[in-house]
């Protein structure tokens, strides 16, 4: 039996069969994966839905209780584990030179024993390897392994000066690390390697002789002096070279693992954000969003954003798992508030990640987290089929731009602790503002990466927001232009497309033809006490028509246009002093300068705001700007969102499809610690009325509320369901089982609609007319399956 388990060249079914047999001998009850999933999926990485990661500390051998973890994984129906194996410390009896064994290891093998026991239970096993640190003996023997500062001195670890940072680009990474991988893969029944700080960790730019020589050979340049001047040609070349080295690492580590087990993988835990998405999807089989938790000053929706970022990179090419750490991070042996941890966990799950629990130290001191996490995992397991998403049904997306964040400075806040896994930068406030506004407006939305503007991706959405996406190449501008010509719509703001991809200012917007205006040659970068006059009624001013003026931009782009409608709904009221109070009055009448351009282009629609709308909403929080952005998305879309929610409270929403079902998520973000800090209590919310659009040619067979664990009250009219959700404690899911509809009429000509004096046709797909539609005046309960 054991030999069969260790035959790592066996196929997937043989390995699982051996694991089940060994579990039976050991008296364990293999809960594992459904038989169909285990045998029929083309790649095993799609199978695991719940992961547990145990990070050993040096003193764990002989102290921790392995049975605690095996019992915990059984009760939570965990599918995969990630166990500390080596790198900084080896938690098995390694024979690789300079691979330091844990000083408490003795004759034990904590990694190997736990890995084999987990395999016997039918779990997938990843071996965690952290190659970011070199010990003093390795430095003495191999000085070329260590990262160097600009003066040539070895770089010490920022928190432990007895340790040294390894160079990610030289023989340590490309020679020593693969040797460790091959040793682990050949000795133990593991499915792959999880790389922690695999790409350099704290290093930044390494100035060792290897890096100097290779960089000059590749580019003809010297290494840049620092990472600050983002337009420095040497830094631009360095980033490209470094990215290429990361792909070389991934290829080398995958090759080392697959040489032993052809089905194995190398799974980078982080540092994938800079990498080209298209190439990344051919290199990664799965992404692990290694965010773990949010900083105290970051928004409560951080986990959801991290899940969306990973999804927009993978585009369905592999599963997404999101890490959740139960520790207080800077005090790793203390437990974080469980309300905070559960909200982080559930918001990530609602936006598409598979939960990945991380526990620092295998020995458990504080067990307050155990029962709540157990319950959350068990709930996820009971309802697993509603989390195996095949499509995100959101109609709206927000464009994220690493190049804008890297090369542009808005003058707004830059959070040194990024909201999510994506690197913080100069445009972070605008992206955060767009995210917050759509969340408050309860608009289901995704993220799109500006390196990934293919029609197959863009055309999934009716509306794409460009929140001050300042830096766009000519090719990227043309991709957006063609998207709008084909019938897509955009809502843009501020300096969008005013700069090229490297930050060079254009003489005109790259998207001037879409915006309907030209750049007048100036950006007012520090505007105080300006306002916007409201001139409705107009689709943009709905909800503001009783308001003469609202807060204006603090960064205004001067524009000119020969085709501004005489009744533009938003007009600039120019800045005037706000102190002393006696002097706070306008010095001139309201101008005719438009603060919004609303138009059609090709088959699509465009709304452009020539000021920092989203940044202002993020930093100042004026509700009027939330209304403006919501109205712009509503008009640009031209039809109801696939999921709408009415009711009081702050909730995060999403709407996914699975193979035979739909899942509409409502995550309750209400809490008394909303101003700052971590959540210590979740305040129940509800009731809510949720309206859902059914996909073409489907009808519901059962509708349940998963948190309430009961059938739902609903009404159906045509292709839309209205479901009542009386109460959301933390995370309610409207689970809709669907079956093909009996189609009477699959063609229905949409009626022309007149809006803003423009005649247009709805761009909705043809929806079937189904028999037996419910009377909207009555509530119904569907029978249980």
């Amino acid at each position: 039996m054991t030999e069969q388990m260790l035959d790592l060249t066996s196929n997937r079914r043989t390995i699982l069969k051996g694991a089940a047999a060994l579990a039976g001998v050991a008296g364990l009850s293999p809960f594992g994966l459904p038989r169909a999933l285990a045998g029929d999926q083309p790649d095993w990485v799609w199978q695991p839905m719940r992961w547990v990661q145990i990070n050993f500390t040096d003193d764990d051998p002989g102290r921790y209780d392995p049975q605690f973890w095996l019992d915990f994984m059984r009760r939570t129906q965990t599918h995969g584990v990630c166990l500390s194996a080596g790198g900084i410390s080896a938690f098995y009896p390694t024979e690789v030179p300079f691979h330091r064994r844990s000083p408490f290891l003795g004759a034990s093998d904590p990694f190997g024993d736990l890995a084999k026991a987990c395999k016997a239970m039918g779990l997938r096993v990843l071996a965690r390897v952290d190659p970011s640190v070199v010990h003093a003996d390795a430095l003495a023997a191999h000085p070329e392994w260590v990262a160097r500062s600009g003066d040539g001195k070895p770089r010490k670890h920022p928190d432990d000066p007895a340790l040294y940072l390894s160079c990610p680009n030289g023989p340590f990474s490309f020679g020593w690390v693969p040797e460790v991988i091959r040793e682990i893969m050949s000795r133990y029944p593991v499915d792959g390697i999880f790389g922690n700080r695999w790409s350099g960790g704290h290093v930044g730019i390494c100035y060792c002789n290897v890096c100097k020589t290779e960089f000059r050979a590749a580019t003809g340049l010297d290494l840049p002096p620092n990472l600050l001047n983002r337009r420095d040609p040497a830094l631009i070349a360095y980033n490209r070279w470094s990215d290429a080295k990361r792909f070389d690492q991934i290829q080398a580590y995958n090759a080392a693992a697959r040489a032993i087990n052809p089905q194995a993988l190398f799974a980078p835990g982080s540092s994938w954000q800079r990498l080209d998405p298209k190439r990344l999807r051919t290199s990664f089989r799965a992404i692990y969003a290694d965010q773990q938790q949010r900083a105290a000053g970051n928004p409560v929706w951080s986990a959801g954003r991290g899940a969306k970022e990973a999804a927009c990179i993978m585009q369905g090419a592999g599963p997404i798992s999101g890490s959740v750490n139960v520790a207080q991070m800077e005090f790793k042996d203390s437990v974080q508030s469980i309300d905070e941890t559960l909200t982080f966990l559930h918001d990530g799950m609602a936006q598409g990640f598979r939960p990945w629990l991380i526990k620092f130290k295998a020995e458990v001191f504080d067990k307050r987290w155990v029962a709540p996490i157990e319950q959350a995992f068990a709930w996820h397991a009971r309802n697993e089929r509603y989390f195996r998403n095949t499509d995100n049904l959101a109609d709206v997306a927000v464009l994220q731009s690493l190049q804008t964040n890297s090369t542009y400075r808005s003058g707004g806040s830059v959070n040194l602790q990024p909201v999510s896994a994506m690197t913080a930068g100069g445009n972070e406030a605008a992206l955060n503002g767009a995210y917050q506004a759509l969340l408050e407006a309860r608009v289901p939305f995704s993220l799109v990466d500006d390196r990934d503007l293919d029609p197959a991706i863009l055309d999934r959405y009716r509306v794409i927001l460009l929140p001050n996406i300042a830096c766009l190449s000519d090719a990227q501008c043309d991709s957006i232009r063609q998207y709008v010509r084909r019938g897509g719509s955009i809502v843009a703001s501020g300096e969008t497309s005013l700069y090229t991809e490297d930050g060079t200012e254009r003489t005109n917007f790259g998207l001037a033809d879409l915006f309907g205006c030209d750049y007048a040659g100036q950006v007012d970068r520090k505007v105080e006490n300006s306002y916007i006059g409201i001139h409705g009624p107009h689709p943009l001013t709905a909800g503001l028509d009783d308001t003469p003026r609202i807060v204006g931009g603090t960064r205004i782009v001067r524009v000119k246009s020969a085709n501004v409608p005489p009744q533009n709904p938003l007009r600039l009221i120019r800045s005037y002093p706000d102190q002393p109070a006696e002097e706070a009055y306008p010095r001139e009448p309201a101008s005719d300068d438009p603060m919004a351009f609303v138009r059609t282009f090709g088959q699509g629609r465009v709304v452009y705001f020539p000021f920092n709308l989203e940044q202002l909403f993020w930093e100042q929080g004026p509700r009027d700007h939330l209304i403006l952005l919501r109205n712009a998305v509503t008009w640009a879309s031209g039809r109801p969102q696939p999921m709408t929610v009415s009711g009081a409270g702050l909730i995060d929403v999403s709407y996914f499809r699975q193979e035979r079902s739909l899942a509409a998520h409502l995550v309750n973000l209400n809490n008394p610690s909303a101003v700052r800090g971590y959540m210590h209590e979740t305040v129940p919310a509800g009731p809510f009325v949720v309206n859902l659009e059914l996909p073409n040619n489907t009808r519901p067979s059962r509708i349940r509320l998963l948190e309430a664990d009961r059938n739902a009250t609903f009404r159906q009219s045509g292709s839309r369901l209205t479901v009542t959700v009386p109460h959301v404690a933390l995370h309610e899911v409207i689970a809709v089982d669907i079956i093909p509809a009996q189609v009477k009429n699959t063609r229905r000509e949409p009626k022309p609609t007149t809006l803003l004096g423009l005649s247009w046709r709805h761009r909705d797909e043809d929806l079937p007319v189904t028999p037996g539609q419910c009377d909207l005046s009555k509530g119904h309960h569907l029978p249980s399956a």
Side-chain angles (χ1 to χ4, degrees), residues 613-630:
L613 172 65
E614 298 90 352
Q615 177 188 340
L616 194 63
F617 179 66
W618 180 247
E619 295 178 345
Q620 303 292 332
R623 183 174 180 269
D624 298 333
H625 293 64
L626 165 64
I627 294 173
L628 274 185
L629 195 58
R630 181 192 63 198

Side-chain angles (χ1 to χ4, degrees), residues 551-574:
V551 172
T554 58
R555 193 176 177 101
I556 297 175
V557 183
R558 297 199 182 187
V559 298
K560 55 187 177 181
S561 174
N563 300 310
V564 179
Q567 296 299 319
N568 190 276
L570 307 180
R571 301 181 209 168
L572 176 65
I573 299 174
R574 291 191 176 90

Side-chain angles (χ1 to χ4, degrees), residues 215 219-226 229-241 502:
F215 181 69
T219 67
L221 300 171
D222 291 329
L223 288 165
N226 53 57
N229 184 3
R230 302 191 182 192
R231 296 182 65 181
D232 178 1
L235 181 56
I236 294 171
Y238 174 81
N239 286 332
R240 291 173 181 164
W241 175 77
D502 64 358

